Amino acid sequence: SIAAPDSSIGAVPVVVTNSGGSSAPEIAGVTSTAPGFFSSDGSGCGSAAALNIRPDGTISVNSPSNSAAPGDYIALFGTGFGLAAQQPQDGAAAVGTPPLQSVPRLFLDNNPVSSLAWAGLAPTLVGVDQINFQIPPATRNGCSVPVSAAGLPGSPSVTLSIQAGRGQCTDPPTQSWGQLLLSKSVFSGPGTPIPAGETFSASFPSGPTSAPPAAEIPVFAPAWVGNVFPSVGVIFSAALITPRACSVPGDSNLSAGAIHVQPPAGASIAVQPQPLQTGGVTYVQPLPAGFVGPGTYAVSGTPGNDVGLSANLAVGSPIQLQTSFPLGTAISSSHPLTIEWTGGDPGSLVKLTLTSGQGMAARSSYSWAHVESGSLTISPVCSGPPAVLPACNFGLPPHTAAQITVQVLPAPDRVATVHFPGITGPVQLKWLYSYTFSGLTLGE
């Protein structure tokens, strides 16, 4: 099979043949787009091979000593952005300036660029895509402002030099923050039963624009938010697509050395830092069964590292679901969906998420409730002429692959924060219980 036009991942057998014979077939991943920008040193990382285009039409190479200013245009060059409207023959340069069939999504300093001035094949070059865009007025100064393109997978970040007034670039001060999380996930669905997963994770992002994300604003039942992308990452098979990442100078994830997590009772767990392609380290450690539960956990780092970590993380109580969804349960889009529970701590919230579909095509609707209420109900929205049976839905299409996830977590204003040496901003102390029921059907 090959990749579909919607950028899904496909697989093809590849055989290499030369004078010595043919190799055994190896499976390789293919997608309709796999964007990447060229860099000035040819590595695909670091400073972009980019041109500054001033409003008066002056063109020059972007570099730390020759920065572009907000309001100037930038020309980026790369490959893998998909087919053009008029595709030249293999090995031939573009005739004219044919645009790309699909306009890529561009991100500058992790913010989407609202519109592109041009996206097409680079004139006179073979197999080279060109993207021109105007630098937004509010873009910050910096010698390594990252730029990337969305795709499946997305492009690695390369960097631009941007400075109000042009000339030599200057970097803003570095900021940092952090998050510690203890979580427990319970799964129910088709196949071999999956044991509950318990995990400790931590990260300490640092960079010129590093700051905690805005807290999600809960939408409480009976209101709900419909037809959104589920908040899950795309998993790439190592045998098919191995996404590449580039480090951005000035951006990193700081280290606290080995982190020790001491539960309210029992032996502590040592969590080792794991290096990241994008620079610095992160922490993710599976925990023994029964490790995560109500109580206070002492979390400490190793002295002499970037972060002087020492905190007490108080984990709240789980709930006991009184509603279950066995494998094959049919959920009707024409009837209210209700869950009930007991337990939990005052001040905690319950989030119900209904997901329809799989992979990149999956969509979700969700709603929240205070744990004290003991139940959460969302009702479908129905529309249509009164004389006929109205059409009802939860903002999602019917699908034979559906799942329900129930999460218990502290309300945003109840998330504890602390400050440590080596971190300029707050470190959030979080906990989460999650219950997922898959193998369900969402019908009309």
Side-chain angles (χ1 to χ4, degrees), residues 219-325:
V219 175
F220 290 99
W224 48 269
V225 177
N227 200 15
V228 297
F229 287 96
S231 57
V232 295
V234 179
I235 299 175
F236 297 95
S237 169
L240 297 179
I241 300 292
T242 303
R244 187 187 181 195
C246 295
S247 61
V248 174
D251 287 346
S252 186
N253 279 262
L254 303 179
S255 174
I259 294 178
H260 296 271
V261 183
Q262 175 64 58
S268 67
I269 295 291
V271 184
Q272 300 297 330
Q274 302 174 14
L276 291 169
Q277 279 188 316
T278 51
V281 302
T282 190
Y283 297 86
V284 180
Q285 176 70 50
L287 302 171
F291 191 91
V292 177
T296 299
Y297 293 71
V299 184
S300 59
T302 303
N305 286 277
D306 302 325
V307 180
L309 174 60
S310 178
N312 291 321
L313 197 167
V315 176
S317 300
I319 59 173
Q320 292 76 50
L321 280 169
Q322 306 302 302
T323 310
S324 65
F325 300 91

Side-chain angles (χ1 to χ4, degrees), residues 176-180 204 256 299-300 306-312 417-429:
S176 54
W177 64 284
Q179 176 178 280
L180 309 179
F204 307 101
V299 184
S300 59
D306 302 325
V307 180
L309 174 60
S310 178
N312 291 321
T417 59
V418 292
H419 289 80
F420 306 137
I423 299 286
T424 64
V427 175
Q428 302 171 342
L429 309 179

Side-chain angles (χ1 to χ4, degrees), residues 98-119:
L100 296 175
Q101 290 183 5
S102 179
V103 177
R105 289 182 295 153
L106 199 67
F107 292 83
L108 178 66
D109 208 20
N110 300 315
N111 297 310
V113 176
S114 58
S115 62
L116 304 181
W118 166 252

Side-chain angles (χ1 to χ4, degrees), residues 37-46 244 246:
F37 290 113
F38 298 147
S39 64
S40 58
D41 65 1
S43 69
C45 293
R244 187 187 181 195
C246 295

